[in-house]
Amino acid sequence: MFEISARDARRISLQAQGFTDSTPKGPVGPRDFKKAMTKMNIIQLDSVQAVCRSHYLSMYSRLGIYEQADLDRWLWHSGKTFETWSHEASVVQVELEPSLRWMKRQARKGATWAGLHEMAKQNSGYVAGVLAEVQQNGPINASSLRDPRPRKGQWWDGRSDGTRALDWLFRTGEVGIRRTSNFNRMYEPFSNVIPEKIRHEVTPVDNTAHRNLLEIAARSHGIGTAADLADYFRMKLSDVRPRLAELVEDKKLFLAQVQGWEEPAYLHPRFKNASPVKVRTLLSPFDPVVWCRPRVERIFDFSYRLEIYVPAKKREFGYYVLPFLLGDQLVGRVDLKADRSSSKLFVQGSYVEKKVNSDRVAQQLSIELNRLKKFLGLDEVVVRRRGNLSTKLIEVRRDS
């Protein structure tokens, strides 16, 4: 069994995610997107754009400044990736499609939102008609259906039957999705988004698919507990543990004991040696480094939760809070809002962690905010006086 220090566990987790790779010196293009994707293997999608959509931030954190339209073209039109339901709504490489088919089988049996499964059972004829319409007329959205069947209600309850039918067909693998420039879904035949060669690959049995995905999760995390690796593709721990034992027996993974961790860890063979991490970047709340909250607290001693759905008066840090990664530590966080009408990036709150050098964090964060401002195409950074780092951050920016 390997013995890993807490520092090396941090470094391995960041190395696996591509944070020890140098950022491109020239314009960022498809080759760079591909390289970053092979490290993450999943880009989680989210519709909130208080700063910008999450998938843009995940690539920005690893590659630096690039044209968002270039990423859109690569994600939705290169044939290298496709949108699927894996770690929530996500984009993955097309080569993973056979190993994700088990999720679609489970969805057909009801392992998805109960309302979708019930609607599909009760309206099977309508759903079949929607599928036929996509196959005949796609790309198409819900409002373009011949009979979208609008409903009254709030949020998910107010979604039309057409929207829910399309969502069901997407989750069960009957239709594919491409996003428009404003992030709207367009549905088309699944055969349009997955290359023929991959579609014709033999479907692995569930145990084999789970092994494949666990090995990929371990490669993307570098090191992690059984729960960490299961979470990457949203697998059940009861399904995962036997497969992990097989991977250890086959020397695809190594057992490890990490300083301070209560549970045993699994180490991918690529990461027997940890590399120093020299990085300065803000992370999306949906970045693979931080999306598993127990993991990020265990590895980085960083307590983090998403407060988007917390009432404003009860939020501790803010609405859309981005962790600040400096070297191999999460040293602070900022609540950000991009106001495109005024071309300003508002720092609604800025916070530094305990036991770190707040002067250094303020200086480095100021540099990073300038870089993010440029990436977003904004003209000015405005720091509000909220948070235990705000005074120093204001002073640094005033003196620079």
Side-chain angles (χ1 to χ4, degrees):
M1 179 180 288
F2 285 80
E3 293 187 0
I4 307 292
S5 69
R7 185 196 67 179
D8 281 354
R10 288 197 308 272
R11 290 180 170 182
I12 288 169
S13 70
L14 293 169
Q15 181 182 353
Q17 283 286 317
F19 286 103
T20 56
D21 297 344
S22 58
T23 56
K25 290 185 170 63
V28 174
R31 183 177 298 180
D32 304 302
F33 297 142
K34 171 74 172 177
K35 183 179 178 181
M37 177 61 98
T38 58
K39 300 297 177 71
M40 290 184 282
N41 282 294
I42 299 181
I43 297 180
Q44 186 177 345
L45 302 175
D46 191 77
S47 60
V48 176
Q49 52 176 343
V51 177
C52 64
R53 306 228 187 251
S54 178
H55 58 287
Y56 296 132
L57 285 172
S58 295
M59 281 292 184
Y60 161 82
S61 298
R62 291 156 178 81
L63 300 177
I65 296 171
Y66 65 89
E67 294 294 330
Q68 294 177 16
D70 291 344
L71 179 60
D72 285 337
R73 280 190 292 272
W74 188 75
L75 288 178
W76 313 119
H77 300 287
S78 69
K80 303 295 184 183
T81 64
F82 75 110
E83 182 171 343
T84 188
W85 198 261
S86 51
H87 189 101
E88 307 300 324
S90 309
V91 174
V92 303
Q93 297 179 92
V94 291
E95 290 81 3
L96 269 65
E97 190 275 332
S99 293
L100 294 171
R101 292 173 191 166
W102 68 275
M103 286 187 171
K104 296 163 185 177
R105 291 195 298 272
Q106 292 298 314
R108 293 185 199 109
K109 297 175 182 178
T112 185
W113 288 343
L116 283 182
H117 185 240
E118 191 66 25
M119 182 278 304
K121 285 198 305 181
Q122 293 179 357
N123 300 276
S124 57
Y126 175 71
V127 173
V130 170
L131 175 58
E133 198 167 344
V134 172
Q135 291 172 334
Q136 181 178 354
N137 300 327
I140 194 172
N141 58 20
S143 62
S144 301
L145 294 170
R146 285 190 292 268
D147 181 14
R149 291 191 183 181
R151 290 156 44 95
K152 292 182 179 179
Q154 294 183 344
W155 206 35
W156 293 112
D157 289 337
R159 296 197 304 165
S160 70
D161 282 348
T163 298
R164 296 195 300 162
L166 288 167
D167 197 2
W168 167 259
L169 292 168
F170 164 64
R171 288 166 186 261
T172 57
E174 300 291 338
V175 302
I177 286 177
R178 296 189 205 271
R179 299 273 181 166
T180 66
S181 58
N182 58 0
F183 204 60
N184 288 333
R185 290 177 167 190
M186 297 297 292
Y187 297 86
E188 56 188 278
F190 192 68
S191 58
N192 286 8
V193 299
I194 300 295
E196 182 178 9
K197 179 182 177 181
I198 292 173
R199 292 201 318 274
H200 290 161
E201 285 186 18
V202 174
T203 299
V205 298
D206 287 4
N207 288 354
T208 301
H210 293 164
R211 277 180 57 119
N212 294 343
L213 295 174
L214 282 170
E215 191 173 355
I216 292 168
R219 194 170 70 235
S220 295
H221 267 331
I223 191 167
T225 64
D228 295 342
L229 302 185
D231 176 71
Y232 214 78
F233 287 99
R234 292 291 201 249
M235 293 182 281
K236 293 180 180 179
L237 264 177
S238 57
D239 294 331
V240 158
R241 291 192 187 280
R243 306 291 79 79
L244 287 172
E246 294 168 2
L247 289 167
V248 170
E249 185 176 354
D250 293 345
K251 293 184 169 49
K252 302 287 187 180
L253 298 178
F254 297 126
L255 277 172
Q257 183 62 54
V258 179
Q259 175 189 4
W261 292 22
E262 295 181 0
E263 297 181 42
Y266 297 87
L267 175 69
H268 193 278
R270 287 188 184 181
F271 304 106
K272 291 180 183 178
N273 299 308
S275 298
V277 181
K278 299 177 181 179
V279 65
R280 177 189 60 233
T281 194
L282 288 162
L283 300 174
S284 161
F286 305 100
D287 192 287
V289 171
V290 298
W291 69 25
C292 182
R293 310 310 186 202
R295 173 179 169 84
V296 73
E297 187 160 0
R298 184 184 342 109
I299 292 183
F300 295 98
D301 192 22
F302 189 81
S303 179
Y304 183 57
R305 70 167 179 157
L306 195 62
E307 296 185 287
I308 289 173
Y309 303 110
V310 176
K313 292 183 179 180
K314 295 184 178 181
R315 291 177 192 142
E316 183 179 4
F317 295 108
Y319 176 77
Y320 201 74
V321 177
L322 279 63
F324 182 39
L325 176 63
L326 189 60
D328 60 19
Q329 293 183 309
L330 294 173
V331 296
R333 65 193 85 198
V334 284
D335 178 22
L336 297 182
K337 179 179 177 58
D339 186 341
R340 289 163 182 83
S341 63
S342 64
S343 197
K344 293 178 180 178
L345 178 61
F346 286 99
V347 184
Q348 313 275 52
S350 47
Y351 306 87
V352 65
E353 293 294 285
K354 297 176 182 178
K355 300 179 181 179
V356 297
N357 186 324
S358 57
D359 290 328
R360 178 171 179 263
V361 171
Q363 291 168 355
Q364 295 298 310
L365 178 58
S366 181
I367 296 170
E368 170 59 12
L369 289 168
N370 286 338
R371 186 179 75 139
L372 180 60
K373 174 195 70 174
K374 184 176 180 181
F375 173 66
L376 298 173
L378 303 175
D379 294 331
E380 185 180 356
V381 175
V382 178
V383 181
R384 306 288 197 198
R385 287 193 179 275
R386 181 168 179 262
N388 64 354
L389 187 63
S390 61
T391 299
K392 286 189 176 180
L393 185 58
I394 290 170
E395 290 174 353
V396 166
R397 297 196 63 79
R398 184 186 59 216
D399 296 339
S400 62

